[in-house]
Amino acid sequence: MTHHAVIMLLAGVGIPILAALNARLGANIGAPAAAAFVLFAVALATAALAMAVTGPGALGRVVGQPWHLFLAGVLIAFYVLSVTFIAPVFGVGNAVFFVLLGQMISAAAIDHFGLFGARVVPLSPLRVVGLMAMAGGLALTQIFGRG
């Protein structure tokens, strides 16, 4: 496994942990939106530190970028807010199941069409079967994994 794969695996491990931690914070303080705000404040500080270490020069090139590239911030806010509100009542496993299913569908479409400048990876019949197997495996963990 390459270091890229390991990093992305760890990022994937972090998604349900993020969901559980922020959902619990939102439930504990009785305000999921405030918990999301705190998460973003911590994330901003972390990103600022990373930028300071790697070189802040690129920040000046943000001006003039196409407006649609900034929708990523809206999407991450939607994810964090939705999981913080929904996971406590729907369950972290159920919430992450649907997030993963959505990620698989979206990633396949982005790759197939080369959207947003992504490398084109055609949706072959074998890849469709693989995606269906992954979706089936996810479903099995939710349907039969409840013990």
Side-chain angles (χ1 to χ4, degrees):
M1 197 176 330
T2 69
H3 69 284
H4 294 112
V6 171
I7 291 169
M8 296 317 303
L9 179 65
L10 293 174
V13 167
I15 289 174
I17 295 170
L18 174 158
L21 293 174
N22 220 53
R24 175 53 39 212
L25 179 61
N28 284 356
I29 65 175
F37 180 84
V38 170
L39 177 141
F40 285 115
V42 173
L44 177 63
T46 304
L49 178 63
M51 184 180 65
V53 170
T54 61
L59 200 54
R61 294 190 298 274
V62 169
V63 175
Q65 294 300 311
W67 68 269
H68 69 275
L69 298 181
F70 299 98
L71 292 175
V74 175
L75 292 171
I76 194 62
F78 174 73
Y79 167 73
V80 169
L81 286 165
S82 63
V83 80
T84 303
F85 274 93
I86 292 172
V89 294
F90 193 49
V92 172
N94 287 331
V96 171
F97 164 76
F98 284 101
V99 167
L100 290 173
L101 190 58
Q103 285 178 334
M104 290 183 350
I105 293 166
S106 178
I110 290 168
D111 283 354
H112 182 74
F113 295 108
L115 301 175
F116 316 113
R119 183 173 61 100
V120 174
V121 180
L123 193 58
S124 67
L126 184 58
R127 191 160 186 222
V128 169
V129 170
L131 288 167
M132 290 172 57
M134 288 175 66
L138 284 172
L140 287 174
T141 65
Q142 292 308 107
I143 295 167
F144 299 108
R146 298 284 176 202

